[in-house]
């Protein structure tokens, strides 16, 4: 109306009252339809009302809400089933994905934003179950949440899921689920708004990881120098004591224990620095096959006789450039971790191959850029990692082992070294299906 006082006036005051009853067009529900409004200058124009009402806890009417549409957005009235489709900016051209499901969970309609997000053609999704587009680990929870909305246990819900898309990418998606009802209030399907939260989740995880690394790094960096001086003195005095005590002396083994524990403490500080990515690396070019072969005897002693070790070199795998000492530490940590997951025995396979990544790949919050890589896989046949734990394995001090069985810094150290070396590391695992660590 342009009067500036619309909030204080009755909506009916703007409605033209001299129209005959048959001039008011409504859809099958009687809730939505066209009416004629009168502007401030006296001109008249048709509008379409999309109406809903808010009720109190007892079902009593509180107030109504209306969306008023002018040309060119006036829909062609039919039975109401394709109403949104005829309002482009509400459905077809909406910036977020919109999906309509039937009560069997099958996708019966979707807009362009959803198809673009998934990288799919319409024929590939229509009349197919939505859960097919969700990673297996998230399907059962998604089905349970959708069932709650269908049964009326909750009026609406928000579900966070992972959806694989083209290009070996995996999206983090929020599904805003609500009920679709007919004029009698009976549920006929579900409406889903599909919002891509991949970048947001990635930034949150990176920020949290950076905070943890910074905190541990500040701790390690603050005490490392003074602590290492103390440990150096302890180790030095142990060496002096060895000069005065032979192996037959009762004190010899006590001194050896002191020195070994001092060395373990020094190694712990190095792990903290590795995790925080504040250590100084000394990258060199060396043959990866030779490095792994030289480590094989040490690795076999570490894993024991009941675990088989197999090292497989791919064609064309020769030189890499990284810190040799840190490379050894990464392999040792991963193999020891595999050993601890196979209490009853099993096998560990270390394989290498050349990998050419044609386009960027997103796994979780990590985005690996296109290029040529050496791929090193450490595969075990152990107990696997649960869905709840797999997102926390890189955290410092996180461990599923018993008290006194580990520091919780092994995989955190691996992550820090790999990322500081401009590499990437991913994990694939499930309970009872073993674990695969892939380093690029």
């Amino acid at each position: 109306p342009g009067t500036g006082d619309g909030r204080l006036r009755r909506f009916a005051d703007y409605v033209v009252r001299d129209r005959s009853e048959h001039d008011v067009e409504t859809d099958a529900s009687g809730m939505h339809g066209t009416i004629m409004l009168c502007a401030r200058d006296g001109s008249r124009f048709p509008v379409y009302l999309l109406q809903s009402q808010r009720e109190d806890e007892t079902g009593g009417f509180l107030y109504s809400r209306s969306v008023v549409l002018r040309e060119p957005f006036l829909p062609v009235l039919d039975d109401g089933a394709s109403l949104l489709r005829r309002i482009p900016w509400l459905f077809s051209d909406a910036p977020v994905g919109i999906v309509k499901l039937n009560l069997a969970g099958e996708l019966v309609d979707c807009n362009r934003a959803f198809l673009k997000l998934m990288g799919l053609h319409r024929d590939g999704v229509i009349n197919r179950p939505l859960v097919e587009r969700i990673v297996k680990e998230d399907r059962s929870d998604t089905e349970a949440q959708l069932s709650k909305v269908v049964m009326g246990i909750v009026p609406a819900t928000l579900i966070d899921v992972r959806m694989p898309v083209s290009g070996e990418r995996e999206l983090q998606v929020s599904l805003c689920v609500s009920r679709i009802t007919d004029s009698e209030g009976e549920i006929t399907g579900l409406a889903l708004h599909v919002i891509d939260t991949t970048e947001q989740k990635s930034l949150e995880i990176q920020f949290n990881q950076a905070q943890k690394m910074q905190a541990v790094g500040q701790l390690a960096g603050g005490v490392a120098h003074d602590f290492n001086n103390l440990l150096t003195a302890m180790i030095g005095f142990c060496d002096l004591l060895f000069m005065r005590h032979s192996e037959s002396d009762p004190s010899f083994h006590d001194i050896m224990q002191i020195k070994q524990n001092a060395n373990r403490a020094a190694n712990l500080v190095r792990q903290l620095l590795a995790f925080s990515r504040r250590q100084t690396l000394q990258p060199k070019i060396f043959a990866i096959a030779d490095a792994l072969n030289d480590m094989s005897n040490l690795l076999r002693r570490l894993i024991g006789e009941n675990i088989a070790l197999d090292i497989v070199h791919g064609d064309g795998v020769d030189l890499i450039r990284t810190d040799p000492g840190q490379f050894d530490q990464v392999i040792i940590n991963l193999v020891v971790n595999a050993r601890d997951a196979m209490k009853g025995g099993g096998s560990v396979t270390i394989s290498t191959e050349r990998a050419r990544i044609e386009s960027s790949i997103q796994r979780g919050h990590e985005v690996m850029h296109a290029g040529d890589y050496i791929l090193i896989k450490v595969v075990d046949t152990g107990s696997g990692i649960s869905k709840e734990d797999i997102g926390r394995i890189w955290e410092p001090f996180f461990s599923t082992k018993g008290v006194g069985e580990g520091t919780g810094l092994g995989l955190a150290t691996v992550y820090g070294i790999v990322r500081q070396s401009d590499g990437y590391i991913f994990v694939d695992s499930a309970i009872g299906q073993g674990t695969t660590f892939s380093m690029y």
Side-chain angles (χ1 to χ4, degrees):
T3 61
D5 62 348
R7 184 174 61 88
L8 304 177
R9 298 181 60 182
R10 285 165 43 87
F11 180 74
D13 292 344
Y14 302 113
V15 179
V16 175
R17 295 171 176 269
D18 59 358
R19 300 182 73 195
S20 62
E21 183 176 351
H22 68 271
D23 288 333
V24 179
E25 303 176 51
T26 66
D27 68 351
S29 70
M31 287 289 292
H32 318 300
T34 56
I35 60 174
M36 190 71 68
L37 294 186
C38 181
R40 185 180 184 182
D41 60 4
S43 61
R44 301 180 178 187
F45 55 93
V47 298
Y48 189 85
L49 293 186
L50 288 170
Q51 298 186 106
S52 62
Q53 68 180 35
R54 181 71 181 272
E55 300 174 346
D56 59 23
E57 296 178 353
T58 63
F61 175 82
L62 289 177
Y63 58 85
S64 66
R65 291 171 291 193
S66 300
V67 178
V68 183
L69 305 176
R70 289 197 63 179
E71 293 180 335
F73 301 117
L74 292 181
V76 177
L77 284 174
D78 51 17
D79 61 356
S82 59
L83 180 60
L84 289 178
R85 175 176 289 281
R86 298 181 184 276
I87 310 174
W89 58 270
L90 278 181
F91 185 76
S92 299
D93 297 338
V96 298
I98 302 177
V99 170
K100 180 181 177 182
L101 302 181
N102 60 22
L103 295 181
E106 297 171 337
L107 196 148
V108 296
D109 203 357
C110 64
N111 66 349
R112 284 192 288 268
F114 176 76
L115 295 175
K116 182 179 179 181
L117 179 66
M118 300 300 296
L120 297 170
H121 189 271
R122 183 178 176 83
D123 294 339
V125 296
I126 296 299
N127 298 324
R128 303 294 302 173
L130 176 70
V131 292
E132 286 186 355
R133 299 299 166 190
I134 298 174
V135 299
K136 293 181 180 179
E137 295 84 355
D138 296 344
R139 289 181 183 178
S140 60
D141 182 58
T142 301
E143 291 174 330
Q145 294 296 324
L146 294 178
S147 296
K148 289 182 180 180
V149 178
V150 170
M151 293 185 293
I153 298 175
V154 293
T157 188
L158 180 66
I159 311 172
D160 289 325
V161 299
R162 292 166 294 163
M163 305 181 80
V165 295
S166 59
E168 298 186 24
R169 295 172 60 236
E170 190 176 272
L171 298 181
Q172 294 280 344
V173 174
S174 289
L175 304 178
C176 305
V177 186
S178 56
R179 295 157 58 97
I180 300 175
T181 56
D182 59 19
S183 58
E184 304 297 326
E186 296 294 327
I187 183 170
T188 58
L190 297 175
L192 280 68
H193 285 74
V194 184
I195 303 171
D196 182 6
T197 60
T198 305
E199 184 175 357
Q200 176 188 342
K201 296 290 185 183
S202 175
L203 291 174
E204 288 177 0
I205 294 173
Q206 290 182 46
F207 179 71
N208 291 334
Q209 187 79 350
Q211 280 190 316
K212 295 169 187 174
M213 294 172 73
Q214 182 181 14
V216 177
Q218 287 175 340
L219 171 65
V223 304
H225 182 70
D226 293 335
F227 194 43
N228 277 330
N229 284 344
L230 295 173
L231 293 172
T232 301
M234 292 172 62
I235 294 170
F237 281 114
C238 286
D239 290 336
L240 290 175
L241 288 171
F242 282 137
M243 297 174 64
R244 301 199 297 266
H245 298 270
S246 63
E247 290 190 27
S248 60
D249 193 307
S251 301
F252 182 87
H253 295 290
D254 294 333
I255 300 170
M256 180 61 73
Q257 285 295 321
I258 294 172
K259 183 177 180 178
Q260 288 177 349
N261 282 300
N263 285 326
R264 289 193 185 99
N267 185 57
L268 182 60
V269 173
R270 285 193 293 272
Q271 287 193 9
L272 289 169
L273 289 172
F275 168 73
S276 64
R277 295 162 63 180
R278 290 178 58 173
Q279 63 183 346
T280 302
L281 297 182
Q282 297 178 333
K284 297 179 181 178
I285 296 175
F286 61 92
I288 185 173
D290 293 343
L292 290 174
N293 290 336
D294 291 343
M295 294 176 62
S296 60
N297 289 332
L298 170 62
L299 295 176
R300 285 189 172 91
R301 287 198 300 268
L302 286 172
I303 61 178
E305 296 180 354
N306 65 335
I307 297 176
L309 175 66
D310 192 17
I311 299 178
V312 182
H313 301 297
D315 295 334
V317 176
D318 45 19
L319 303 178
I320 62 172
R321 183 179 184 275
T322 188
D323 187 307
Q326 299 302 323
F327 174 79
D328 290 352
Q329 186 176 356
V330 166
I331 298 298
I332 290 172
N333 280 354
L334 291 178
V335 170
V336 169
N337 195 71
R339 177 201 66 189
D340 294 342
M342 296 183 289
K343 300 296 186 182
S347 65
V348 177
T349 302
I350 303 174
S351 63
T352 62
E353 62 183 272
R354 296 186 68 90
R356 183 172 184 82
I357 307 302
E358 300 292 345
S359 58
S360 296
I361 295 177
Q362 180 157 5
R363 287 281 306 271
H365 68 282
E366 297 281 5
V367 178
M368 183 169 64
H369 302 294
D372 293 317
Y373 295 87
I374 296 295
L375 170 59
I376 308 161
K377 289 185 178 180
V378 179
V379 183
D380 68 60
T381 58
S383 56
I385 306 171
S386 68
K387 176 185 174 182
E388 293 75 19
D389 293 337
I390 202 166
R392 302 186 60 194
I393 61 172
W394 309 122
E395 294 182 8
F397 310 115
F398 173 76
S399 177
T400 58
K401 300 175 184 177
V403 177
E405 295 183 6
T407 63
L409 285 173
L411 291 179
T413 301
V414 167
Y415 178 85
I417 292 174
V418 171
R419 294 301 291 124
Q420 190 175 4
S421 303
D422 294 327
Y424 302 90
I425 183 166
F426 306 113
V427 59
D428 295 284
S429 185
I431 293 295
Q433 299 182 19
T435 301
T436 298
F437 285 94
S438 302
M439 289 181 292
Y440 291 83

